[in-house]
Amino acid sequence: MITHKEHIIKYFESGIKDVKNFKIGIEHEKFLFDEKTNKRVDYPTVLKMFSLLSEFGWKPIMEKENIIGLQKQGKSITLEPGNQIELSGDKLNNIHEACAESHDYLFELQQVTKKLNLKIVSAGFDPISTLSEVPNNPKQRYQVMTKDMPNGGSLSLDMMYRTCGTQLNLDYDSEKDFIKKFKIVNSIVPISIALFANSSIIEKKNSGFSSYRSKVWQETSRGGLPEVFFDNMDFEKYADFSINFPLLFIQNEKEYLSGSNYSFSDFMNGKISEINNRLPTEDDLTTHLSTIFTENRLKKYIELRSMDTCGWDCLCSGPAFNTGILYGNLDEAYELISKWDKNKIINAYLEAPKKGFNTELMGKDLLHWSSLLLGISRKGLLNRDILSKSNDNEAKFLNHLDKLIDNKTTNADHMIDKFSKNENLNDLYDK
C-alpha cells in the first residue's frame, strides 16, 4: 500500500537503471478519417480496423465487453477519447530500433487503412473537425474525464478529442541524474514547441498558431509548466507535488469514479468513502501519476510531452534530438540552460505556440537556441556511436531538423503554405 511519502520516493528510486540498461520508449498518436466523408472514424470502424490488425499478430485489450486497444509483444495500440490511435512502443535500446518499430507499425496501419478507405492525418491538432463532430468510444475513464476536465481548463475537451502528440520516455541512473535531466527538459519546452510545431490549421482555416496543440494544452486542466519544476526538482519534491495533486479518477475494481473532490493525499489517508476508505496500491499511484498532464512528468522514467505529432519524415527526429541531449551530451546541455531565468522560460513557453521560432528567450530567438541544442544533440549521438546494420549513426535522424533550421520554417509553415494555395483537404492527409 502507498501510505507514506517514502513509499512514493521508493517508487521513483525503483526506476534507477545502470546507463548500459537505459531504454528509449516512443508513443505517438494519429487521427483517422473516412476518405469519402472527411469525417473522423467512429468506434465501429475502429473495431473493423482492429480486426484487420489482428492479422499482423495484434491481440485485443478488453475493458468489460469492449475492445479498447491491441497489444503485441512489448507494445500496444491504445484508443484515445476521439478515436485517435496511439502506439505505445516497447522499451528499446537505441533510435535505430525505435524508428524501425514505428516504421513497421505505420506499414501495418497503412495496409489496414487502405482496405477500409481511411486516411491518416499526422498533425498535432485535428485540422478539419469541429469539437461537436468528433465521435467518442466506450472507454470508461473518458466518460469521467469528459465530465470533469472542463472545470479546470477551458480547452480540456479540445485536448482530449482534437489533439495528437509524440511522447518520449527516457531513463535516469540516479536521483542526481534525474534532477539534471528534468531541469533540462523543462527548460527546453519552448524550443520543443517551436521546433516540432505541426498544428497550424483548425477547422480548415489558418489558426494563427504554429502549434495550436500546445496552446490547447496550456488551457487544459492539470496541464502546464509548473514553476516548481525549475527548483531542482528531486524525488521528494515530486512526491510532495503528486501527493497534493488532485485526483482525476479512481479505478475501483472495474469501475471508474470521479476523483474531483480529492487529492492523492486523501487517498493515502483513507478518506475516500466512495471506495470504503481503502488505501491506494502501487497501481493506483501509477494511474495517478499518468493523469498529471504537465509538459513533462515523472513515473519510473521521465516522460517528455511537448512535441506535436508529425509525419514519417520527422517522426524519429524528436526522439533522436532529445536522446542526443539527455543520453549523449547531458553536461553541455545543462551548462547551457543553467544560465536561463525560469520566469523567462515560462514566458517563452506561453508565447511559443503562436510565435514559434520568433519567440524570444534570454535575448535570442528560439531559432538560435534550436540550432545550438541541435548541435549539442548531434555531438551526443556521435558520442553514443551506436550504428545501424548499414553503418549509420543515430545522428542521421536529425537531418529533418537541419532542414527546418536552415530554411527557418517548421512543419506548421509547410502545412499553412500547402493548404492555403487551394484549400484541398487531401493536402492535409498523409501521403
Side-chain angles (χ1 to χ4, degrees):
M1 294 298 167
I2 307 294
T3 56
H4 296 91
K5 178 168 63 177
E6 288 70 25
H7 294 152
I8 301 178
I9 294 172
K10 286 181 179 178
Y11 177 91
F12 297 143
E13 289 173 343
S14 71
I16 291 173
K17 294 182 176 65
D18 290 336
V19 173
K20 67 178 185 295
N21 296 323
F22 276 5
K23 300 294 184 183
I24 296 166
I26 302 177
E27 302 177 23
H28 52 87
E29 300 165 326
K30 301 287 185 186
F31 296 110
L32 298 170
F33 284 80
D34 183 285
E35 186 175 16
K36 294 179 182 177
T37 64
N38 295 312
K39 301 290 187 185
R40 290 271 292 278
V41 298
D42 57 15
Y43 182 65
T45 303
V46 169
L47 293 180
K48 292 177 185 177
M49 187 179 69
F50 282 176
S51 177
L52 290 172
L53 282 168
S54 68
E55 297 174 14
F56 294 98
W58 291 94
K59 305 297 183 186
I61 300 170
M62 305 297 296
E63 183 180 81
K64 295 185 175 179
E65 70 279 5
N66 296 310
I67 301 174
I68 59 168
L70 301 172
Q71 57 189 358
K72 180 167 68 170
Q73 298 161 342
K75 52 187 177 285
S76 61
I77 298 172
T78 55
L79 197 55
E80 297 302 302
N83 297 324
Q84 310 97 306
I85 59 168
E86 176 182 60
L87 176 71
S88 296
D90 201 354
K91 297 173 183 176
L92 301 169
N93 295 307
N94 54 63
I95 299 297
H96 302 300
E97 290 182 3
C99 200
E101 174 191 67
S102 294
H103 186 274
D104 290 345
Y105 161 71
L106 289 176
F107 171 79
E108 294 170 0
L109 186 61
Q110 286 167 346
Q111 304 314 300
V112 168
T113 53
K114 283 178 184 176
K115 286 183 179 179
L116 296 175
N117 296 314
L118 305 178
K119 289 288 190 178
I120 302 169
V121 171
S122 297
F125 194 88
D126 181 338
I128 298 172
S129 317
T130 64
L131 183 59
S132 63
E133 291 173 329
V134 180
N136 56 21
N137 60 64
K139 203 167 174 178
Q140 285 182 277
R141 69 186 66 182
Y142 298 149
Q143 297 171 26
V144 176
M145 291 174 65
T146 299
K147 180 174 178 291
D148 289 349
M149 286 285 289
N151 297 329
S154 60
L155 298 179
S156 295
L157 294 183
D158 285 296
M159 177 280 288
M160 291 177 60
Y161 290 93
R162 294 205 286 175
T163 65
C164 279
T166 298
Q167 180 174 300
L168 178 64
N169 304 327
L170 296 176
D171 291 316
Y172 45 86
D173 69 6
S174 65
E175 184 174 25
K176 183 179 178 182
D177 186 48
F178 161 73
I179 292 169
K180 268 190 171 181
K181 286 174 176 171
F182 206 62
K183 181 79 172 285
I184 291 170
V185 297
N186 285 296
S187 296
I188 68 173
V189 164
I191 290 93
S192 292
I193 290 172
L195 192 55
F196 301 101
N198 190 34
S199 46
S200 49
I201 307 297
I202 302 173
E203 297 177 16
K204 298 173 279 193
K205 299 182 184 68
N206 184 347
S207 68
F209 287 81
S210 292
S211 176
Y212 189 68
R213 171 189 170 274
S214 296
K215 171 62 177 175
V216 167
W217 276 94
Q218 290 175 359
E219 303 293 333
T220 288
S221 175
R222 314 170 69 80
L225 189 60
E227 188 174 332
V228 69
F229 280 14
F230 295 94
D231 297 336
N232 292 319
M233 177 69 79
D234 58 19
F235 292 157
E236 182 175 7
K237 288 179 182 176
Y238 202 94
D240 287 330
F241 174 76
S242 59
I243 286 169
N244 294 311
F245 206 84
L247 291 171
L248 178 53
F249 52 73
I250 305 160
Q251 187 175 358
N252 198 47
E253 296 178 347
K254 294 184 178 181
E255 301 298 327
Y256 286 86
L257 309 174
S258 172
S260 60
N261 296 324
Y262 302 102
S263 67
F264 196 74
S265 175
D266 295 320
F267 204 172
M268 291 169 62
N269 292 318
K271 293 183 177 178
I272 305 180
S273 59
E274 290 93 328
I275 56 172
N276 297 318
N277 304 314
R278 76 165 177 87
L279 299 173
T281 63
E282 187 172 295
D283 286 344
D284 291 314
L285 173 62
T286 300
T287 296
H288 176 60
L289 294 173
S290 71
T291 63
I292 295 172
F293 297 144
T294 47
E295 296 289 331
N296 302 289
R297 64 190 180 197
L298 174 62
K299 293 182 181 174
K300 294 185 180 182
Y301 44 84
I302 305 168
E303 294 189 351
L304 288 66
R305 299 159 38 78
S306 299
M307 296 178 284
D308 284 0
T309 285
C310 57
W312 175 246
D313 57 344
C314 89
L315 177 60
C316 304
S317 63
F321 175 75
N322 287 288
T323 298
I325 292 170
L326 297 183
Y327 279 1
N329 204 357
L330 185 70
D331 290 339
E332 187 174 348
Y334 189 81
E335 175 68 19
L336 177 70
I337 64 93
S338 63
K339 301 179 179 71
W340 296 355
D341 179 88
K342 68 180 178 183
N343 293 313
K344 293 183 178 179
I345 296 170
I346 292 171
N347 186 66
Y349 159 66
L350 294 173
E351 294 186 349
K354 194 171 186 69
K355 294 183 178 180
F357 281 150
N358 295 319
T359 306
E360 185 176 298
L361 171 61
M362 303 300 296
K364 304 284 187 179
D365 63 26
L366 294 188
L367 182 66
H368 168 83
W369 296 119
S370 296
S371 181
L372 275 182
L373 285 163
L374 186 58
I376 289 171
S377 175
R378 173 170 284 101
K379 192 186 300 183
L381 294 175
L382 294 172
N383 288 342
R384 278 165 58 81
D385 196 28
I386 297 175
L387 303 180
S388 67
K389 292 177 182 178
S390 55
N391 223 33
D392 289 321
N393 186 279
E394 292 171 303
K396 77 169 188 175
F397 295 111
L398 299 178
N399 292 344
H400 173 76
L401 301 182
D402 283 328
K403 292 176 185 176
L404 293 187
I405 290 172
D406 288 346
N407 296 324
K408 301 180 182 179
T409 55
T410 62
N411 293 315
D413 297 318
H414 291 306
M415 181 178 275
I416 291 171
D417 183 57
K418 182 169 65 173
F419 183 67
S420 62
K421 287 179 181 176
N422 56 15
E423 296 190 352
N424 185 340
L425 295 183
N426 288 327
D427 288 336
L428 301 174
Y429 294 130
D430 289 8
K431 297 296 185 285

